[in-house]
């Protein structure tokens, strides 16, 4: 691969918990990350976020807003991704395993007690926030209520 791909990750928080899935059969297999996928040609970031979350979890998003981004290289997979993180609230928070070929399970985790290993792009976001002394909940609240 010679050009970076555009990924969209979606941060959904409910009652101080974040929705994470355990990835399988793709790069980052075995790691935990939020719903997400590739931006399609002509698609807005908001539409991509809503589509990916619904396809993967059955959750319908509202109040979708743009958050931080990462620029990561998956060394072993020889992939380069720019991942734009979106934040959203949900109509209901009942996550269903819609794509069992790509994800082992969806689970809500306390924002102060995240599982390991984290998916590379999500780990990058957590490290960015930590370097700026910003908590994940603070990021969510600041962006969603702006």
């Amino acid at each position: 691969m010679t050009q970076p791909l555009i990924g969209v990750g979606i941060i959904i928080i409910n009652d101080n918990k974040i929705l994470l899935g355990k990835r399988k059969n793709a790069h980052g297999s075995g790691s935990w990350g939020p719903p997400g996928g590739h931006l399609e040609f002509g698609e807005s970031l908001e539409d991509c976020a809503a589509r990916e979350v619904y396809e993967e979890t059955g959750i319908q998003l509202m109040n979708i807003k743009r958050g931080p981004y990462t620029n990561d290289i998956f060394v072993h997979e020889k992939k380069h991704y720019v991942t734009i993180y979106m934040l959203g609230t949900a109509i209901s928070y009942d996550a269903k395993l819609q794509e069992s070929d790509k994800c082992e399970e969806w689970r809500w985790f306390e924002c102060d007690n995240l599982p390991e290993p984290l998916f590379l792009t999500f780990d990058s976001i957590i490290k960015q926030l930590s370097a700026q002394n910003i908590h994940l909940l603070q990021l969510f609240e600041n962006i969603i209520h702006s």
Side-chain angles (χ1 to χ4, degrees), residues 18-23 27-34 74 85 109-111 113-127 136:
I18 183 169
L19 181 64
L20 299 176
K22 191 169 187 182
R23 299 173 60 90
H27 63 283
S29 187
S31 64
W32 292 88
F74 292 80
Y85 273 86
F109 290 92
E110 296 286 338
C111 290
N113 190 21
L114 298 176
E116 290 187 8
L118 292 176
F119 184 56
L120 177 62
T121 67
F122 187 59
D123 190 50
S124 292
I125 286 295
I126 298 301
K127 287 176 180 170
L136 186 57

Side-chain angles (χ1 to χ4, degrees), residues 99-116:
E99 297 178 329
S100 59
D101 58 320
K102 297 179 183 177
C103 182
E104 288 183 32
E105 65 177 305
W106 291 107
R107 202 182 315 171
W108 293 94
F109 290 92
E110 296 286 338
C111 290
D112 289 328
N113 190 21
L114 298 176
E116 290 187 8

Side-chain angles (χ1 to χ4, degrees), residues 11 13 18 67-70 85 87 111 114 121-140 142-143:
I11 295 172
I13 293 180
I18 183 169
Y69 72 93
T70 65
Y85 273 86
L87 296 88
C111 290
L114 298 176
T121 67
F122 187 59
D123 190 50
S124 292
I125 286 295
I126 298 301
K127 287 176 180 170
Q128 280 181 29
L129 294 174
S130 179
Q132 298 171 25
N133 291 318
I134 299 172
H135 190 276
L136 186 57
L137 291 173
Q138 180 185 3
L139 171 78
F140 189 81
N142 288 347
I143 291 176

